Amino acid sequence: MGEQKQIDGNVLAAKSLAQFGVHHMFGVVGIPVTSLATRAVSLGIRFIAFHNEQSAGYAASAYGYLTSSPGVFLTVSGPGCVHGLAGLSNGGINTWPTVMISGSCNQSDCGRGDFQELDQIEAVKPFTKFAVKATHISQIPNCVAQVLDHAVSGRPGGCYLDLPTDVLHQTVSQSEAETLLTEAKALAEKNKESRSTKVDASKIGQVVSLLRNAERPLIVVGKGAAYAKAEDQLKKLVETTGIPFLPTPMGKGLLPDDHRLAASAARSLAIGKCDVAVVIGARLNWLLHFGESPKWAEGVKFVLVDVSSEEIELRKPFLGLVGDAKQVLETLNKEIKDDPFCLGNTHPWVDAISKKTKENASKMEAQLAKDVVPFNFLTPMRIVRDAILEWGGSPAPVVVSEGANTMDVGRAVLVQKEPRTRLDAGTWGTMGVGLGYCIAAAVAYPDRLVVAVEGDSGYGFSAMEVETLVRYQLAVVVVVFNNGGVYGGDRRSPEEIDGPHKGDPAPTSFVPNAGYHTMMEAFGGKGYLVGTPDELKSALSESFSARKPAVINVVIDPYAGSESGRMQHKN
């Protein structure tokens, strides 16, 4: 009888990932993790190789959001791990399940200045909810199970797995590997069972009573509700009670933006006058003005629905409900069913929201109706909006949006009608997420077209990943609003142009009329340069129908934008 075949740590890690349901990995390979990526591919995991760990991490974080499964990405040691912290932290701040796996130096050489040496467990601490190092090959299956489990349990977030070079090269027999995998699976299932939580039913009646007796109730929904796939339960609650709803930017689409009870276009009125606000899967942070006056009415009673008890303790709402958004909404709907109530279209509050929405929408449409050339931000955004709405493809495209003015204008103009079809700079306002998010969406939703609407500055962070789009032939159309800089071109007043380097370009400006479309063409994708409505309409129609990687370079008046850093609401 021959000696049993041995497998190394790379194979065991790949087997572990496959066993625990990982279907996609993103990353940048190199010493010591190239073999791990190759082995994962041979076991049926699709590996999307990037140029930059930041973009790979952003892709993994968005994938975690879109699929409710951990987005996994792989980096080399040292600088690879440091670059990956961008994506890992982005996942944590947005509360998306994200797992970074990094190789690290030989354990015996730690502290001696080994190749790309870094104490990576210490480095990731501020950005993770759980981090673990496999110090021996036998620990790999259990470590993989732990990071994947922690990423989705409770409040989802970032986790880290460290795989030292020597551990990746250690070996075990095939039968030993199978035993380790089986034991890890059994332990993971046991841990999952012990953590099942139930909604606190005692507070459900109080929430319903508050809503029933409120004069101006409002339902606020965030991307946490989208992550929980709570759209059906939300629809039932809103349409049964007739209560207006306000989505956060990435809560858009949970119910269609054009729903009769949507309050987005009357946001200032809705939050400024409501007396009870049920906030589901959103935090009372800067995006919602911390739930404080003067934006919110004095004395508004907040009901906060969140998976994290810590979040509720931090915000101190009138009522807090710890639980999954979908489960909480189901319970609320059951309670209301026994004694239903509905505000009705003629209710003063519903009528006020409706009138303000129509008034603000008609003002916006009047501005959008004008064809301004050279382009401002509104004209091309309207054309992009109409192209997406007219696109016959079903399901609806995923819209990725980043940039200062581009994202601000896009938030107001672009229309979402399906859940989880908008990805933007998110809770942290992160620039540079665009191409990573595009790739994540194309991989997670292969049946959907992906349309990115990018400012030229935001696009520049990850523009090289257009080669990745071409390499994997992903159905992504990138529309770059090119106004020659951050917010636009040179914004300095004459007195600011001084000093020995006054001849240099302004800190906000880029090379004018940059040929972003030619960069895509360099890799074999399709590039378009547009400056008129007809040119843009034609480029969108052609690229959408082709469902192939494309960049549309939209030349914008360099003085059309303004400095932006917080959400601007003028309604």
Side-chain angles (χ1 to χ4, degrees):
M1 190 174 171
E3 191 179 313
Q4 195 178 40
K5 189 182 171 188
Q6 298 282 300
I7 64 169
D8 69 5
N10 291 293
V11 177
L12 188 55
K15 278 179 175 287
S16 303
L17 290 163
Q19 172 175 280
F20 289 108
V22 173
H23 300 295
H24 295 93
M25 281 176 75
F26 309 92
V28 178
V29 296
I31 296 170
V33 297
T34 306
S35 180
L36 171 49
T38 306
R39 294 296 187 175
V41 171
S42 71
L43 287 168
I45 296 171
R46 191 178 190 198
F47 190 91
I48 309 293
F50 281 70
H51 288 275
N52 180 287
E53 292 94 351
Q54 282 192 350
S55 290
Y58 292 144
S61 69
Y63 181 92
Y65 169 64
L66 294 171
T67 65
S68 304
S69 300
V72 179
F73 71 109
L74 184 66
T75 84
V76 300
S77 45
C81 171
V82 170
H83 292 168
L85 292 177
L88 190 62
S89 56
N90 189 67
I93 296 291
N94 283 295
T95 72
W96 296 342
T98 311
V99 171
M100 179 165 80
I101 301 174
S102 299
S104 59
C105 69
N106 276 314
Q107 293 176 92
S108 59
D109 292 327
C110 282
R112 301 173 65 202
D114 195 21
F115 174 67
Q116 295 190 330
E117 183 186 333
L118 173 70
D119 184 346
Q120 289 162 203
I121 291 288
E122 200 59 36
V124 304
K125 268 185 183 174
F127 309 108
T128 53
K129 56 186 288 196
F130 179 77
V132 65
K133 175 187 270 196
T135 58
H136 188 268
I137 186 172
S138 61
Q139 297 172 2
I140 289 176
N142 200 35
C143 287
V144 169
Q146 285 181 347
V147 289
L148 294 173
D149 182 51
H150 277 277
V152 294
S153 65
R155 164 167 278 181
C159 292
Y160 173 71
L161 172 58
D162 193 286
L163 295 175
T165 302
D166 52 306
V167 171
L168 289 171
H169 292 157
Q170 287 167 1
T171 61
V172 290
S173 68
Q174 288 249 22
S175 61
E176 217 177 323
E178 291 308 319
T179 302
L180 291 168
L181 288 163
T182 304
E183 286 173 354
K185 190 173 185 180
L187 187 59
E189 283 168 2
K190 190 179 174 185
N191 288 339
K192 206 172 280 185
E193 283 168 23
S194 69
R195 271 206 317 272
S196 60
T197 54
K198 288 183 180 176
V199 178
D200 184 353
S202 67
K203 292 183 180 176
I204 294 292
Q206 293 177 64
V207 176
V208 173
S209 177
L210 266 177
L211 290 173
R212 189 189 303 280
N213 295 308
E215 289 181 29
R216 296 175 302 280
L218 181 68
I219 294 167
V220 180
V221 289
K223 62 181 179 295
Y227 172 83
K229 297 183 169 60
E231 52 269 19
D232 292 345
Q233 292 74 19
L234 175 67
K235 183 175 191 282
K236 189 174 179 183
L237 177 66
V238 166
E239 294 183 352
T240 301
T241 62
I243 297 172
F245 70 93
L246 178 71
T248 63
M250 281 176 56
K252 278 162 63 74
L254 268 164
L255 289 180
D257 283 344
D258 56 4
H259 192 286
R260 68 177 184 85
L261 289 165
S264 295
R267 186 181 192 274
S268 295
L269 171 68
I271 68 173
K273 297 289 186 187
C274 71
D275 58 354
V276 172
V278 180
V279 182
I280 305 161
R283 282 168 280 181
L284 293 175
N285 57 14
W286 69 277
L287 283 156
L288 289 172
H289 314 290
F290 308 106
E292 295 171 352
S293 63
K295 295 286 186 182
W296 291 85
E298 281 281 3
V300 58
K301 290 175 179 171
F302 283 107
V303 176
L304 210 53
V305 177
D306 201 286
V307 290
S308 165
S309 58
E310 289 83 3
E311 180 66 24
I312 288 167
E313 285 159 19
L314 171 70
R315 306 296 174 183
K316 297 181 173 52
F318 184 80
L319 264 180
L321 276 171
V322 180
D324 172 80
K326 185 175 180 177
Q327 288 180 320
V328 171
L329 283 168
E330 273 175 359
T331 315
L332 278 172
N333 284 329
K334 276 181 194 165
E335 182 84 9
I336 290 167
K337 187 183 172 188
D338 295 336
D339 188 8
F341 66 96
C342 185
L343 301 190
N345 289 344
T346 57
H347 188 283
W349 175 236
V350 177
D351 185 51
I353 295 278
S354 178
K355 279 181 177 163
K356 193 66 177 172
T357 294
K358 284 173 185 159
E359 181 190 319
N360 285 338
S362 64
K363 280 182 194 169
M364 174 65 84
E365 286 307 314
Q367 285 182 283
L368 289 169
K370 303 167 192 162
D371 275 345
V372 179
V373 181
F375 279 148
N376 61 6
F377 280 87
L378 291 171
T379 297
M381 196 69 77
R382 181 204 79 220
I383 294 167
V384 171
R385 177 196 70 181
D386 293 348
I388 292 170
L389 290 174
E390 287 162 15
W391 165 243
S394 182
V398 175
V399 174
V400 174
S401 184
E402 70 173 330
N405 296 281
T406 307
M407 189 172 69
D408 280 350
V409 174
R411 186 187 297 115
V413 176
L414 299 176
V415 176
Q416 262 68 51
K417 293 198 174 190
E418 295 181 24
R420 295 167 297 282
T421 56
R422 179 182 171 83
L423 291 163
D424 65 22
T427 306
W428 226 8
T430 311
M431 290 296 120
V433 294
L435 270 292
Y437 281 11
C438 286
I439 292 163
V443 166
Y445 297 155
D447 54 339
R448 291 186 191 263
L449 179 70
V450 180
V451 182
V453 187
E454 303 263 306
D456 52 354
S457 173
Y459 172 68
F461 282 77
S462 61
M464 189 65 185
E465 301 301 346
V466 296
E467 187 275 339
T468 310
L469 298 181
V470 175
R471 189 168 9 115
Y472 292 97
Q473 282 298 295
L474 301 174
V476 177
V477 176
V478 182
V479 183
V480 181
F481 278 40
N482 178 3
N483 66 348
V486 182
Y487 315 121
D490 192 340
R491 300 306 180 89
R492 294 173 296 180
S493 62
E495 59 268 22
E496 288 177 305
I497 304 171
D498 205 357
H501 306 294
K502 64 184 179 184
D504 276 357
T508 55
S509 61
F510 299 150
V511 170
N513 302 309
Y516 296 118
H517 58 296
T518 62
M519 186 175 176
M520 173 57 106
E521 289 170 344
F523 299 116
K526 183 74 177 172
Y528 301 86
L529 176 65
V530 304
T532 69
D534 285 345
E535 287 170 350
L536 178 54
K537 286 173 189 173
S538 173
L540 289 165
S541 174
E542 189 179 302
S543 59
F544 283 14
S545 298
R547 291 181 65 95
K548 298 276 188 185
V551 168
I552 302 174
N553 186 4
V554 184
V555 180
I556 307 282
D557 180 346
Y559 298 102
S562 59
E563 186 162 355
S564 165
R566 285 182 178 268
M567 290 173 64
Q568 305 299 310
H569 294 286
K570 299 179 175 66
N571 49 39

